[in-house]
Amino acid sequence: MSAPPASAKLEPWLRGTLLELPAEQRAVLHALELAREDVERWCETLSEAELQARPHGLPSVSFQLRHIVGSLDRLLTYAEGVSLSEEQKQQLSAEMEPSGSKTEILAGFQSGLAAAEARIRKIDPVHWPVARGVGRKQLPTTVAGLLIHCADHTQRHVGQTVTTAKVVMAMREEKQTKP
């Protein structure tokens, strides 16, 4: 399986960037930056069919990318103290459905990350300890808890994205080597 060569640059958290921000906010933004780079590295060479493929029943790469940005939108909505809209609920139920071209899928991921980053930067650290409720049951957390979950949830699904991309690439190579 071959992916584009690994970049020689350090991971975002080791680059000395975003130093003007509090460490917690910086960590969340670095996690999203790493997500962007991992998706670019592992998904840019996939075809439209490979983005939609579900090898061995795994969720598709396109699902993972939609889910990452959809989850960020929902988590940040809760962090902002707002209930989910009907549109957000509909998008959640449609995440698993194959949709969009490769260009649309990747552009949607990039724009969703950029929007999340802008929203994260706007959340004043004085609000981090404020209580928030999540979901229909209004499970308890804080603004800070939601921001941290933005980072760890994104990284979890990027890991699944990369794994699925690797499986798809391996299957592609197997097809190419079979007579």
Side-chain angles (χ1 to χ4, degrees):
M1 142 192 45
S2 61
S7 169
K9 64 183 170 182
L10 298 171
E11 287 191 7
W13 68 280
L14 292 169
R15 295 181 196 155
T17 60
L18 307 176
L19 296 175
E20 72 281 6
L21 300 174
E24 300 86 349
Q25 195 174 31
R26 182 170 58 242
V28 175
L29 292 170
H30 281 153
L32 299 187
E33 189 175 350
L34 182 60
R36 177 181 289 107
E37 292 173 7
D38 284 343
V39 166
E40 287 172 358
R41 178 173 181 217
W42 290 100
C43 299
E44 289 290 331
T45 63
L46 297 177
S47 68
E48 284 187 31
E50 289 170 331
L51 283 171
Q52 304 295 347
R54 297 198 56 200
H56 309 291
L58 293 170
S60 69
V61 168
S62 66
F63 159 75
Q64 297 291 355
L65 299 181
R66 281 190 300 277
H67 182 66
I68 290 167
V69 296
S71 294
L72 285 168
D73 177 50
R74 292 184 293 275
L75 291 167
L76 291 169
T77 297
Y78 290 131
E80 294 160 347
V82 179
S83 297
L84 297 184
S85 69
E86 285 306 312
E87 182 181 353
Q88 286 171 308
K89 292 174 186 176
Q90 290 171 356
Q91 288 171 344
L92 171 61
S93 63
E95 284 176 355
M96 195 61 114
E97 299 301 318
S99 66
S101 67
K102 176 181 177 174
T103 301
E104 292 167 334
I105 293 164
L106 295 177
F109 177 75
Q110 295 296 341
S111 66
L113 279 185
E117 290 164 340
R119 289 169 75 184
I120 290 164
R121 286 176 179 272
K122 288 180 182 175
I123 298 175
D124 190 324
V126 301
H127 299 293
W128 292 353
V130 174
R132 292 289 189 248
V134 176
R136 284 182 223 129
K137 294 182 179 180
Q138 290 295 288
L139 299 172
T141 190
T142 62
V143 172
L146 284 156
L147 291 175
I148 290 166
H149 190 59
C150 284
D152 61 51
H153 185 267
T154 296
Q155 285 300 306
R156 179 182 318 140
H157 283 278
V158 168
Q160 293 174 8
T161 300
V162 170
T163 299
T164 303
K166 287 180 178 183
V167 170
V168 167
M169 287 178 197
M171 293 171 73
R172 178 198 313 153
E173 289 181 11
E174 283 179 15
K175 282 183 185 177
Q176 292 172 349
T177 59
K178 287 188 179 178

